[in-house]
Amino acid sequence: MSKKNKKALLTGAVLLVVLLAALVLVKVLTGQMEKKQQENSENEAAKAIVLSLPEKDMASITFTGDDGEIRMEQGSSGWMNAQDNYPLQGSRTKLLTDDLAALKAERTLENITDLSEYGLDQPSQRITVTMQEGKTYELLLGKKNTTTKQLYFQMADDPQTVYLTATALDSHFSGRVQDFAAYEEFPYIEPSSMREFDVQKEENSYVLTMTGDDKCSVTGDDGVTQLANLTTLGVVQNNISYISWARHMEYDCKDMAAYGLEEPQCTVKITYEVGDEKKILTIYIGDQDENDNYYVRLNDSTAVNTVREEYLMDLVENQATSYWSLTYSFVSISDLKKLTVTTEGESHTLEYYREEMEDGTDTEQWLFDGKEVEKDLFTRFYYDCVSVTAQERFESVPEDLGEPALSLHYELNDGSIKDITYYKADQNFYTVLYENGTKAASTNKLYVNIMLDDLKKLTDGI
């Protein structure tokens, strides 16, 4: 290797050592700077903490609520309302204790002589915290900074120092004592588990019985029982399952009459099942507030809450007839022995026969006026007849209906008879009598027109 190359190699090695040393030095200095910055940040953060009160050491917190002074005391089972000794919500009290555990100031203003500039000459709120050992801390809240929207406050024992904080002390330490109470939630009830609604009112009481199938019924205060409209009933069931409190009024109400609950306008007793166990929830429904929400209490509770009108209105305002089923015409074809149809003075018969053969197969016969017809023609007309629903149920049978436009006389395999008769009421509706003429309803003329059209197709198809 030449001297020139050796010299160049030596020079490079020296430069590498210097570079490595420089990198080590930079790393050390950077670490020292970061450590210093962290220490400074921690010192600044510590200086910014105005108040640090551990929740476990607090005995009570007092401040002014919307309806007067709120005083909460901490006991072995949590925070309680000191006046009436009832439990408070953990989520609400935690907001307060978290604020007091590390109350931070974004700015500190010292040697203040004019407190009116900060709204502290007449504080908007006084918060007093008493610790377990007896020491007391008092915070005074002022107004908000118009630019930063942060809150001015001071400690009562240091009147010349004002702090600016981003902590929402003004909203957390506000409201009514009822807003802090640990109210029982409205219980969730699965609609399919509901078995009975016993609705008691001064007039038009009724009982809805739910069997879990299409045989649900309603019984009025006259003792008459009818099949229930499953759609209307389903709406009521779902409304009950959706209920949550709109507003808490009083945790331990001493004057139920103030809410119309001493003599409720409606009492609903709900029987439902949880597994094999039957349970009962009683809902007492009183007056309505300015937003039309109902005042409500449950079972033997002394708590009063409100429920939005739409959840309870049907139960309160309906009567038994509101739930009457609009289905009156269905007869299973497997139950049919013979159907006699009469219109315009002419009568026709439909008969259905089904026989099981020795080889396990079934044979069916579709007879119209004693003659076999196509299954599609027969079944289309038959299902026209048995799928009609009412537009409206009548409470009584109208008089002077005139001559029937269409009569259906069902003879069933069990020997029973079912008669359904249609009378033209006006250009849009027919009046229908059913259950041996004891009940009446209104139905759309389209149903009757379809039956008559398909009856003609049967006649033409013979």
Side-chain angles (χ1 to χ4, degrees), residues 392-406:
E392 178 188 3
R393 292 274 300 264
F394 298 150
E395 293 187 31
S396 60
V397 176
E399 297 181 356
D400 301 324
L401 291 172
E403 292 297 316
L406 178 66

Side-chain angles (χ1 to χ4, degrees), residues 253-301:
C253 180
K254 307 298 184 186
D255 182 15
M256 291 292 176
Y259 302 100
L261 287 167
E262 186 173 346
E263 296 182 3
Q265 64 167 311
C266 182
T267 300
V268 182
K269 187 178 292 185
I270 301 174
T271 301
Y272 62 104
E273 294 177 348
V274 178
D276 295 331
E277 181 183 1
K278 279 197 174 182
K279 293 190 173 184
I280 294 177
L281 173 69
T282 302
I283 307 174
Y284 299 96
I285 304 172
D287 296 336
Q288 292 178 275
D289 66 10
E290 65 278 5
N291 297 315
D292 293 328
N293 298 322
Y294 288 105
Y295 295 114
V296 165
R297 77 177 180 93
L298 301 180
N299 298 328
D300 57 356
S301 172

Side-chain angles (χ1 to χ4, degrees), residues 21-34:
L23 288 173
V24 171
L25 180 60
V26 168
K27 187 174 182 180
V28 170
L29 291 175
T30 301
Q32 290 176 344
M33 289 177 63
E34 289 177 348

Side-chain angles (χ1 to χ4, degrees), residues 197-438:
F197 293 159
D198 185 345
V199 182
Q200 295 300 312
K201 302 182 286 184
E202 186 173 346
E203 294 181 347
N204 298 318
S205 298
Y206 57 90
V207 177
L208 289 162
T209 303
M210 292 151 277
T211 54
D213 55 23
D214 60 356
K215 302 299 182 184
C216 300
S217 63
V218 57
T219 303
D221 52 12
D222 56 1
V224 175
T225 298
Q226 299 272 358
L227 284 176
N229 185 324
L230 300 183
T231 301
T232 305
L233 178 56
V235 169
V236 175
Q237 289 175 305
N238 285 331
N239 283 343
I240 292 294
S241 70
Y242 291 150
I243 290 179
S244 60
W245 301 128
R247 191 180 185 201
H248 302 310
M249 300 309 299
E250 290 191 51
Y251 186 88
D252 186 17
C253 180
K254 307 298 184 186
D255 182 15
M256 291 292 176
Y259 302 100
L261 287 167
E262 186 173 346
E263 296 182 3
Q265 64 167 311
C266 182
T267 300
V268 182
K269 187 178 292 185
I270 301 174
T271 301
Y272 62 104
E273 294 177 348
V274 178
D276 295 331
E277 181 183 1
K278 279 197 174 182
K279 293 190 173 184
I280 294 177
L281 173 69
T282 302
I283 307 174
Y284 299 96
I285 304 172
D287 296 336
Q288 292 178 275
D289 66 10
E290 65 278 5
N291 297 315
D292 293 328
N293 298 322
Y294 288 105
Y295 295 114
V296 165
R297 77 177 180 93
L298 301 180
N299 298 328
D300 57 356
S301 172
T302 56
V304 177
N305 299 276
T306 63
V307 171
R308 283 165 47 186
E309 180 184 47
E310 59 263 34
Y311 292 133
L312 295 174
M313 183 171 62
D314 288 340
L315 284 168
V316 173
E317 297 185 358
N318 282 355
Q319 53 188 330
T321 56
S322 307
Y323 297 95
W324 282 358
S325 173
L326 297 177
T327 300
Y328 61 85
S329 63
F330 185 76
V331 177
S332 173
I333 197 167
S334 61
D335 295 332
L336 180 68
K337 181 178 181 181
K338 183 165 71 172
L339 168 61
T340 302
V341 182
T342 303
T343 181
E344 295 183 347
E346 292 187 3
S347 295
H348 302 277
T349 60
L350 289 88
E351 297 170 277
Y352 166 68
Y353 293 99
R354 176 177 173 274
E355 184 178 357
E356 185 174 343
M357 308 303 290
E358 293 182 358
D359 60 2
T361 60
D362 292 337
T363 61
E364 294 177 312
Q365 275 190 305
W366 314 87
L367 302 181
F368 180 73
D369 288 342
K371 298 178 181 179
E372 194 162 355
V373 294
E374 293 181 13
K375 174 182 176 181
D376 287 346
L377 285 174
F378 185 105
T379 56
R380 184 185 305 156
F381 172 74
Y382 186 80
Y383 286 114
D384 291 344
C385 297
V386 299
S387 60
V388 185
T389 57
Q391 185 80 13
E392 178 188 3
R393 292 274 300 264
F394 298 150
E395 293 187 31
S396 60
V397 176
E399 297 181 356
D400 301 324
L401 291 172
E403 292 297 316
L406 178 66
S407 296
L408 305 175
H409 177 76
Y410 295 88
E411 299 176 38
L412 306 184
N413 290 324
D414 62 3
S416 61
I417 300 295
K418 182 172 183 175
D419 286 310
I420 299 176
T421 309
Y422 294 90
Y423 299 83
K424 190 168 184 178
D426 55 37
Q427 60 181 357
N428 295 314
F429 295 98
Y430 279 79
T431 296
V432 56
L433 301 189
Y434 57 100
E435 293 193 19
N436 298 322
T438 61

Side-chain angles (χ1 to χ4, degrees), residues 68-246:
E69 182 180 272
I70 296 176
R71 178 179 172 83
M72 49 186 65
E73 295 180 347
Q74 184 171 206
S76 57
S77 58
W79 289 92
M80 307 286 288
N81 173 22
Q83 286 182 315
D84 298 312
N85 195 36
Y86 57 72
L88 303 178
Q89 298 176 47
S91 59
R92 287 300 302 268
T93 58
K94 191 174 189 302
L95 287 176
L96 313 188
T97 57
D98 283 354
D99 288 349
L100 300 170
L103 181 55
K104 181 181 178 182
E106 305 299 324
R107 286 179 58 197
T108 300
L109 309 174
E110 298 178 328
N111 302 317
I112 302 299
T113 56
D114 183 9
L115 294 175
S116 64
E117 184 178 349
Y118 310 101
L120 287 163
D121 56 327
Q122 294 182 335
S124 60
Q125 177 64 276
R126 291 177 179 269
I127 303 169
T128 302
V129 185
T130 303
M131 308 305 285
Q132 298 285 357
E133 78 278 6
K135 188 173 181 178
T136 297
Y137 298 85
E138 187 174 13
L139 292 79
L140 309 178
L141 307 188
K143 62 183 180 182
K144 286 187 174 181
N145 182 288
T146 55
T147 302
T148 66
K149 306 303 180 184
Q150 294 172 346
L151 183 71
Y152 291 110
F153 78 95
Q154 67 178 178
M155 303 301 298
D157 60 359
D158 186 7
Q160 291 187 315
T161 303
V162 174
Y163 305 97
L164 195 62
T165 183
T167 303
L169 294 171
D170 54 340
S171 61
H172 292 172
F173 288 84
S174 66
R176 308 166 304 140
V177 68
Q178 289 85 2
D179 299 328
F180 290 85
Y183 285 84
E184 177 186 359
E185 295 295 325
F186 193 97
Y188 173 74
I189 305 176
E190 176 68 36
S192 62
S193 73
M194 300 174 187
R195 292 294 169 260
E196 185 177 272
F197 293 159
D198 185 345
V199 182
Q200 295 300 312
K201 302 182 286 184
E202 186 173 346
E203 294 181 347
N204 298 318
S205 298
Y206 57 90
V207 177
L208 289 162
T209 303
M210 292 151 277
T211 54
D213 55 23
D214 60 356
K215 302 299 182 184
C216 300
S217 63
V218 57
T219 303
D221 52 12
D222 56 1
V224 175
T225 298
Q226 299 272 358
L227 284 176
N229 185 324
L230 300 183
T231 301
T232 305
L233 178 56
V235 169
V236 175
Q237 289 175 305
N238 285 331
N239 283 343
I240 292 294
S241 70
Y242 291 150
I243 290 179
S244 60
W245 301 128

